[in-house]
Amino acid sequence: MTTIPGLVLVLAYLAATQVILGADISSSTSSNTQPTPLSSRMESKILSMLGLSERPRPRPNATAPQFMLDLYDKLQNRSNSEHTAGRCSFPDPAFPGNIVRSVPNAGTKLKALAKSDRRFRQILHFNLSFIPSSETITGAHLRLEFLDVVRKVRPSSTVHLKLYQITQAVDEMRSASVEGTRSSFRLLASLVIDVSQASPETIDMLPVVQEWRAGLNGNTGLYVAMDIQKTEGLPKRKANAILAKKLGKLRRRTATLVVVSVDGEKCRNRFRRSADEEEGTARPVPHPNDCQRRRLYVSFRDVGWQDWIIAPMGYQSYYCGGDCPFPLDSRLNGTNHAIIQSMVNSNSPESAPKVCCAPTKLSAISMLYFDNEDNVVLRQYEDMVVESCGCH
């Protein structure tokens, strides 16, 4: 008998039915293989385990922000290094949680107050209502992506930027003279930015996001006021026309809110390392028929999920299989309880069942995908890969 917890159990069932899994990565995907849809019941079960209420269906032209792709690669590399993270945390202290969401701006475009003006204004709005109440938000910052455009057009200029919280709903750009005096604006940050610096500019938004989440202040948006110093060597009118045109091509994609959270419901520590694993002692290789880890490749592409899962398209999940013969020895990584149960079963099979081959250690994987709101989500899922097996 083989027991595999959580999502790995469902994946093993799918392997048995030859729906999405292969015994080896080399045979998992073929250019001639057509996706085999899951039954609605099975799909719903897997999506529920992934924390999704239904199958995401992003827009055909939806693309992931480059910084989210870079973050996925960065965290993957850290996961494969000697650095290890605790449960429900990425291997990077800058992201204190197991979920990172890229929330796009749903407000206005970044516009100049007047033609040939170096003053730009924008209303930002980020919908956070879809984040489940079971999650605890542990980090949030605003990425000012329009600075990359300013840097390309005016590489030696200086930007004076002010960020306001809108406390009363506004639906139009305001003149620069009233921004600091009107009661509908609360100043959050005032920055002088040298765009010649290559590092991306971000603003900590955790206190504001927590206020929105607690309902202390309505989420009526943010107001950005950007004033650019005159650029030397480039006629004022021409420089502003070029900049306005390039900023216009960004549409609303001028700023992104990045939210980090923890889903505590999936953070229970299921397994401990054995003493041999802690000390780094290798165990003897078991007999081929004995309980051990076996290859099990999960392919998301084979069920047609490549439209909403960005990465990875598949991974080695592994599973535990094989016999737990009496008497158990160190090769089978059996617990004391399993040793006693195996002895009782050998003498009196009706008194106790046979010992089962099961995971003794599981590890996490990270997935990058579109959610039901077209946000790009990077999430760490615990207990997705079998690292070791034993008789229990």
Side-chain angles (χ1 to χ4, degrees), residues 39-50:
S39 68
S40 58
R41 180 179 179 183
M42 184 57 66
E43 184 176 60
S44 296
K45 186 175 182 63
I46 296 177
L47 291 173
S48 176
M49 290 181 176
L50 294 177

Side-chain angles (χ1 to χ4, degrees), residues 301-368:
R301 186 183 297 277
D302 286 353
V303 288
W305 281 2
Q306 70 274 10
D307 62 332
W308 65 274
I309 294 182
I310 303 167
M313 278 295 97
Y315 76 102
Q316 279 289 355
S317 171
Y318 298 102
Y319 74 100
C320 294
D323 300 328
C324 291
F326 176 81
L328 297 180
D329 57 34
S330 61
R331 293 181 297 109
L332 300 175
N333 197 17
T335 62
N336 291 337
H337 180 274
I339 293 172
I340 299 299
Q341 181 177 331
S342 177
M343 181 179 64
V344 173
N345 172 265
S346 66
N347 293 324
S348 178
E350 68 279 1
S351 299
K354 289 185 176 181
V355 177
C356 302
C357 180
T360 57
K361 180 185 175 186
L362 297 169
S363 63
I365 67 167
S366 294
M367 288 177 57
L368 188 67

Side-chain angles (χ1 to χ4, degrees), residues 192-225:
V192 177
I193 303 168
D194 181 359
V195 298
S196 63
Q197 302 298 319
S199 59
E201 192 68 39
T202 61
I203 299 176
D204 181 25
M205 293 297 297
L206 182 58
V208 175
V209 169
Q210 288 176 333
E211 284 183 8
W212 289 343
R213 191 79 181 284
L216 300 178
N217 286 303
N219 183 1
T220 50
L222 304 171
Y223 185 81
V224 177

